[in-house]
Amino acid sequence: MKQLKLNADALDVFYHDAAAKAGTQLTSAMVLLTTAPAKAETAARDLPDPQTTVPFSAPRIFGLVVGVSQYSSPGIRGLRYADADARMVAEFLRSPDGAGIPDSRMRVLLNGDATRANILAAFRSFLASTTRNDLVVIYFAGHGVTSPERSATDFLSTDADLADLARS
């Protein structure tokens, strides 16, 4: 399929048609943006045949929610509501009114469970099972510090060491 480039300021038509269901084949997908009938003919010529089938899988939603109110380092002051905020976000993400994420695709790490090792494990193993079609929601409630020498902001796990942020 050829790539279609149009001037976004002059668009006057938007058409989208997709027929897809979880676990089925995508049989028709078309997006047509045009500014004039002559350009519409050119654009339509570049679209794939609507009868062409391409593999399609509905995106799955994963959630990683981290909330740290209690830190093991005496140099890091505790927070009052970070863990409670994370719990509420996790409940919302699980609920039908939220994202409806099942427990099998949700990880919640609070306080003592929100260690550097556990957070990294969640990224390496749990989130490693995602595909490019999936959506991942990551929520962190807790302290963060800016590291000027690395031009980065570090989120602090419950076992963070201010003297060695690169390894915390």
Side-chain angles (χ1 to χ4, degrees), residues 68 71 76 114 140 142-145 154-158 160 162 165 168:
V68 184
Y71 292 87
I76 305 173
F140 179 87
H143 281 302
V145 295
D154 295 302
F155 297 108
L156 301 182
S157 60
T158 192
L162 291 177
L165 288 177
S168 291

Side-chain angles (χ1 to χ4, degrees), residues 18-38:
K21 293 181 182 172
T24 66
Q25 298 285 320
L26 181 61
T27 56
S28 172
M30 183 175 4
V31 175
L32 178 61
L33 302 172
T34 185
T35 58

Side-chain angles (χ1 to χ4, degrees), residues 4-150:
L4 179 64
K5 294 181 181 178
L6 296 171
N7 180 348
D9 295 332
L11 295 178
D12 61 4
V13 174
F14 173 75
Y15 176 73
H16 174 79
D17 176 26
K21 293 181 182 172
T24 66
Q25 298 285 320
L26 181 61
T27 56
S28 172
M30 183 175 4
V31 175
L32 178 61
L33 302 172
T34 185
T35 58
K39 290 186 181 183
E41 290 174 19
T42 302
R45 212 176 35 239
D46 294 341
L47 293 172
D49 179 356
Q51 299 307 313
T52 303
T53 60
V54 294
F56 176 79
S57 62
R60 299 172 301 163
I61 304 174
F62 289 76
L64 173 59
V65 176
V66 179
V68 184
S69 289
Q70 302 163 358
Y71 292 87
S72 57
S73 173
I76 305 173
R77 148 182 86 74
L79 297 169
R80 291 179 70 184
Y81 304 110
D83 55 350
D85 290 348
R87 260 190 223 96
M88 287 191 299
V89 167
E91 287 173 21
F92 176 74
L93 291 173
R94 285 182 177 124
S95 76
D97 291 334
I101 302 174
D103 288 339
S104 62
R105 293 197 308 254
M106 175 77 92
R107 292 292 184 271
V108 180
L109 301 172
L110 301 173
N111 294 316
D113 291 331
T115 62
R116 178 182 192 275
N118 287 348
I119 294 168
L120 290 176
F123 276 103
R124 289 184 181 131
S125 61
F126 170 63
L127 294 180
S129 65
T130 61
T131 67
R132 67 187 221 178
N133 290 335
D134 294 334
L135 172 68
V136 175
V137 177
I138 300 172
Y139 177 85
F140 179 87
H143 281 302
V145 295
T146 301
S147 174
E149 64 274 357
R150 292 188 345 211

